[in-house]
Amino acid sequence: MQISPAMEDYLMAIYRSQTVAERVSTSQIARRLGVSAASTTAMFKRLAEEALVEYHEYTGASLTAKGEGLAASLVRRHRLAERFLTDVLGIGLDQVDPMADRMEHALPPEVIDRFDSILQEPHTCPHGQPIPDKDGVLPDLHYSPLASLAAGEEATIARLEEGDPELLRYLVEQGLVPGARIRVVEKHPVDDLITLDLGGTSLVVGQRVVAALDVGDVPAPRTPRL
Amino acid sequence: MQISPAMEDYLMAIYRSQTVAERVSTSQIARRLGVSAASTTAMFKRLAEEALVEYHEYTGASLTAKGEGLAASLVRRHRLAERFLTDVLGIGLDQVDPMADRMEHALPPEVIDRFDSILQEPHTCPHGQPIPDKDGVLPDLHYSPLASLAAGEEATIARLEEGDPELLRYLVEQGLVPGARIRVVEKHPVDDLITLDLGGTSLVVGQRVVAALDVGDVPAPRTPRL
DNA sequence: AGTGTATGTTAGTCTGGACTAAAATTATGC
DNA sequence: GCATAATTTTAGTCCAGACTAACATACACT
Ligand SMILES: [Mn+2]
Ligand SMILES: [Mn+2]
Ligand SMILES: [Mn+2]
Ligand SMILES: [Mn+2]
């Protein structure tokens, strides 16, 4: 059988929810895709039929080698598309995810390859998520949560959560994007607030924002090569 | 209701088959899309439901103003995508049509606008077909059939038929692409063969190829602006 | 260990978009 | 002008992918 766009979305969702070989539940995927649990059960069966996942009733599904390879290539497509949208077309970080979500199903391999080379084989999407290589191998990025920094420490924002559009818009607005240099001015004992210095301006952020950010070494931005 | 990819394909097919306000038949569209006549009848009804076409049983359908506007914007998407694939990504003329056929349904307006400006508002797709502007207005190109040239005349290839992949591959292979300069060396009285001179090399082409080519003033190629 | 709750599955339904075969209509040729 | 051919529509099916409501299972707490 052919892999449909819907199947692709489920595979990617499983891939992204699955921490090393763990089984993934119906409701997790249903939540992530905004779909009913019943629909997810049905899709788990179809995917199992195609030997893309191993599915056990009531206990969840996990990707087979075949499924994982495919999922990695899909995630690669998605993240390279995002990079292309930001770096070549200049579209905002807060807009590219839903766009890539549709485009990922329609971009032929040749186009993905060209994106990769034009962008000079990037290792992360614009949100800082790793891009699997052609063999599905993820680069290992050594990021740590913003919360782990002590007062006075300086760091570079490396990754941000991309689930919540409103949060994402806020982060972009404030300049809290990968590559931004920050310093922890003060960690408030109450409410887990943190005062940051961001290129001279000071900014107080709360738990929700703190949890959304990772810091670490971010690869130097490369200008697209055409 | 929402416009689905399938509806988009039908609208574009009608747009492209429809010569000024003519009604278009079920079988024409079915043939063009590789679909059964029955499916086309069903889709004509759905499109009529949405006021995108005016449909009269047994006599065919024609686009309404609404449908025509939408179709023009879809054709615009398709052709700009093709231009992008060839001019920016360097993909062959003989490969881009089926790629654009899938991508056209997934490219958001922002991306199309960026393509348009990067490509410097091109007036034709790489095959020489006109690109409607944002208001759906087609540029008027003054092309004529290759067959209309007399022996000795020189011209520039401006448009080629894109229906048949094999033919297209052959044309590209021979260098018979928009922009190519040709001279009619001889028109053979038998079998409608034509001997062409193409940058020094001579080439005999038959009726099928001749019919596939138009000549005329082709806009100077623009290098993508980034 | 038993029981209530959360989670997962089944059953039944819907919609879009395709198909084939049969029926209806229009076009063509004599 | 009428019989036959070609085209179009209808009727009946199928499949993917979604949904809700009802039922089944697993887990967590006493
Ligand atoms: Mn998607
Ligand atoms: Mn991303
Ligand atoms: Mn298409
Ligand atoms: Mn074209």
Side-chain angles (χ1 to χ4, degrees), chain B residues 16 78-79 82 96-97 124-129 160 162:
Chain B
R16 295 189 46 191
H78 180 98
R79 293 184 180 159
E82 283 184 339
V96 296
D97 185 70
T124 68
C125 85
H127 311 98
Q129 301 286 357
L160 35 86
E162 41 185 331

Side-chain angles (χ1 to χ4, degrees), chain B residues 138-158:
Chain B
L138 287 167
D140 51 325
L141 310 170
H142 32 293
Y143 295 164
S144 26
L146 172 55
S148 70
L149 293 182
E153 283 193 277
E154 217 173 315
T156 305
I157 301 215

